[in-house]
Amino acid sequence: MQANFDKIINRKGTNSVKWDTLKNNVSSKDILPMWIADMDFETPKPILSAIKKNLDDCPVLGYSNPSDSLLEAIIDWQATHHQLNLTKDEILFSPGVVPSLALIITALTNADDAVLIHDPVYGPFTNMITLNQRKLIRSDLSIHDKQFKMDFTDIEEKIIAENVKLFILCNPHNPGGRVWTPAELKQLATICQKHQVLIISDEIHGDLVYAPHEFTSLATLDPSYRKFVITLTAATKTFNMAGIKNSMIFVQDSALRTKISNEQHKSEQNGINTLGYVATEAAYVHGEVWLEELLEYLAENLSLVTDFFTKELPQIKFLTPEATYLIWFDCSSLGLSDEELTHYLVSVGGLELSPGISFGPAGSQFMRMNIATPRETLREGLRRLNNCFCQNS
């Protein structure tokens, strides 16, 4: 085995957002953070080695451009893993998926245009829409058989009623871990194509999928989708290196690509962290074995959590993720408001989770837990969660 995922790494005192940022103003040194989506595992050694080699070879942290070998690594990874065939010209770089959202929103829509998202969904979708003076429209996801489902009738009705210009899709879905099927993706794309709605497909979790489920990149389903689908992704989530600040925008339509590229130049958003280029190339060239081992470990963690909920806390309704290392569960049995719920878990359980309400109104009474942590830490987190529900019973 290449990696030791059971290794406990002390991240306190490293200016870690996850471990050194206590969001709820509770004075305690014993808060266990299982909220923000980064992993408590060592970044793969080939990536760390590539960064060190780069510094040894040239101890000057100057400006740099993406190399041909980096572009080839991205193209090879996407073709091999996701059947997405790209050319070098179709790849733009960005500091992150969220900055990319803001960039594309401003490049391809006008102030007060309507932008549609699912509810619940990754919180920054909302922020990037409203902070850039666009009209936020939500379509609620429903839960059936522990999985989120889209309401296609609602989506089309809102597109027509609100004159929606842009749909932001999360695939795989965060926080629910749903891997949308080709049939679902085609139905969504058909509606958007019919009404001339552009789609941004956030696919940053596309490598973190549990067998037998298979991820489908939306743009691969029909050649015509290249005209209105823009794909966002990065190696950062997959290989636990969010701090390098490097992501990709795949734009296969030349007219859309020109608009986005021009918008990048207005704010110099096309300049990327030098080490981000190096780390991304190393990840895609040398990271596949590590990823296979990671998914095996995460699948065991997921089984531990779902077994625990089923046996120890049967009152909790939860979604079974098909992808990601995040689990979404219902805490309404505690009988607390959203604000009280977050404070209660921290103050009573010493457990920091992501509040469901931060993913939209439909997330009220839910919590999101990050299970990408050594098993010893995960068991401690579940013990604390159990204590919270026992205290309240």
Side-chain angles (χ1 to χ4, degrees), residues 93-114:
F93 290 93
S94 167
V97 165
V98 176
S100 297
L101 288 172
L103 171 75
I104 297 167
I105 287 168
T106 56
L108 302 182
T109 67
N110 297 312
D112 300 320
D113 279 350

Side-chain angles (χ1 to χ4, degrees), residues 295-356:
L295 287 170
E296 183 178 324
Y297 191 89
L298 289 177
E300 292 173 3
N301 273 6
L302 178 59
S303 293
L304 176 65
V305 174
T306 56
D307 287 349
F308 175 85
F309 280 172
T310 301
K311 296 173 183 177
E312 303 297 330
L313 294 172
Q315 68 271 44
I316 289 183
K317 298 176 183 177
F318 62 92
L319 274 63
T320 304
E322 300 168 338
T324 82
Y325 46 76
L326 309 165
I327 189 161
W328 182 249
F329 60 97
D330 186 348
C331 295
S332 58
S333 62
L334 288 172
L336 303 171
S337 70
D338 288 302
E339 184 176 351
E340 291 170 338
L341 176 59
T342 301
H343 181 78
Y344 177 76
L345 291 175
V346 173
S347 60
V348 174
L351 190 60
E352 184 91 35
L353 305 180
S354 295

Side-chain angles (χ1 to χ4, degrees), residues 229-339:
V229 174
I230 299 154
T231 304
L232 307 183
T233 193
T236 54
K237 200 68 66 178
T238 304
F239 296 101
N240 201 31
M241 52 184 195
I244 67 164
K245 298 296 181 186
N246 184 28
S247 74
M248 288 79 72
I249 307 171
F250 302 147
V251 198
Q252 295 175 288
D253 179 77
S254 59
L256 291 178
R257 189 164 63 250
T258 296
K259 290 180 180 179
I260 295 169
S261 181
N262 288 343
E263 191 70 23
Q264 277 190 315
H265 286 289
K266 289 180 184 179
S267 57
E268 287 293 325
Q269 285 195 48
N270 54 329
I272 302 300
N273 182 328
T274 297
L275 299 181
Y277 288 141
V278 174
T280 298
E281 181 175 349
Y284 285 148
V285 173
H286 302 293
E288 187 157 6
V289 172
W290 184 91
L291 176 58
E292 292 172 355
E293 293 174 353
L294 170 72
L295 287 170
E296 183 178 324
Y297 191 89
L298 289 177
E300 292 173 3
N301 273 6
L302 178 59
S303 293
L304 176 65
V305 174
T306 56
D307 287 349
F308 175 85
F309 280 172
T310 301
K311 296 173 183 177
E312 303 297 330
L313 294 172
Q315 68 271 44
I316 289 183
K317 298 176 183 177
F318 62 92
L319 274 63
T320 304
E322 300 168 338
T324 82
Y325 46 76
L326 309 165
I327 189 161
W328 182 249
F329 60 97
D330 186 348
C331 295
S332 58
S333 62
L334 288 172
L336 303 171
S337 70
D338 288 302
E339 184 176 351

Side-chain angles (χ1 to χ4, degrees), residues 38-258:
D38 72 9
M39 298 185 270
D40 291 322
F41 307 133
E42 285 185 339
T43 300
K45 286 181 172 58
I47 296 172
L48 300 178
S49 296
I51 291 173
K52 291 175 183 176
K53 183 178 186 303
N54 182 266
L55 294 174
D56 290 340
D57 289 348
C58 182
V60 177
L61 292 175
Y63 299 115
S64 62
N65 292 312
S67 65
D68 284 341
S69 58
L70 166 60
L71 292 168
E72 289 165 2
I74 294 167
I75 290 168
D76 288 347
W77 184 273
Q78 292 299 320
T80 301
H81 291 264
H82 307 309
Q83 293 70 57
L84 179 60
N85 297 312
L86 300 165
T87 66
K88 293 178 182 180
D89 290 343
E90 293 168 347
I91 302 170
L92 301 177
F93 290 93
S94 167
V97 165
V98 176
S100 297
L101 288 172
L103 171 75
I104 297 167
I105 287 168
T106 56
L108 302 182
T109 67
N110 297 312
D112 300 320
D113 279 350
V115 180
L116 180 60
I117 61 174
H118 283 133
D119 186 7
V121 77
Y122 183 49
F125 285 14
T126 296
N127 298 337
M128 294 304 99
I129 294 166
T130 58
L131 291 174
N132 285 288
Q133 292 78 53
R134 272 56 175 177
K135 185 178 181 182
L136 172 65
I137 309 297
R138 302 178 190 269
S139 178
D140 285 0
L141 295 168
S142 58
I143 299 175
H144 299 282
D145 299 324
K146 296 186 177 182
Q147 298 294 341
F148 276 134
K149 302 289 184 181
M150 298 190 208
D151 185 336
F152 295 105
T153 300
D154 181 67
I155 288 171
E156 185 161 26
E157 287 176 350
K158 285 177 175 171
I159 285 174
I160 295 169
E162 301 291 346
N163 191 23
V164 168
K165 301 297 184 184
L166 177 67
F167 186 97
I168 306 177
L169 173 70
C170 196
N171 178 38
H173 181 265
N174 174 11
R178 182 70 207 283
V179 178
W180 304 114
T181 65
E184 289 170 313
L185 292 172
K186 284 184 177 180
Q187 191 167 353
L188 175 66
T190 298
I191 293 170
C192 290
Q193 191 172 32
K194 174 182 176 183
H195 298 287
Q196 297 183 309
V197 175
L198 299 170
I199 300 177
I200 301 174
S201 185
D202 173 4
E203 300 182 358
I204 197 169
H205 289 99
D207 292 313
L208 298 169
V209 176
Y210 303 110
H213 306 287
E214 294 184 0
F215 166 75
T216 301
S217 180
L218 175 59
T220 65
L221 290 173
D222 191 294
S224 67
Y225 293 177
R226 299 172 188 173
K227 303 294 280 185
F228 65 97
V229 174
I230 299 154
T231 304
L232 307 183
T233 193
T236 54
K237 200 68 66 178
T238 304
F239 296 101
N240 201 31
M241 52 184 195
I244 67 164
K245 298 296 181 186
N246 184 28
S247 74
M248 288 79 72
I249 307 171
F250 302 147
V251 198
Q252 295 175 288
D253 179 77
S254 59
L256 291 178
R257 189 164 63 250
T258 296

Side-chain angles (χ1 to χ4, degrees), residues 355-371:
I357 194 65
S358 67
F359 297 85
S364 179
Q365 298 296 300
F366 281 81
M367 281 283 167
R368 189 193 75 174
M369 175 184 282
N370 176 351
I371 64 169

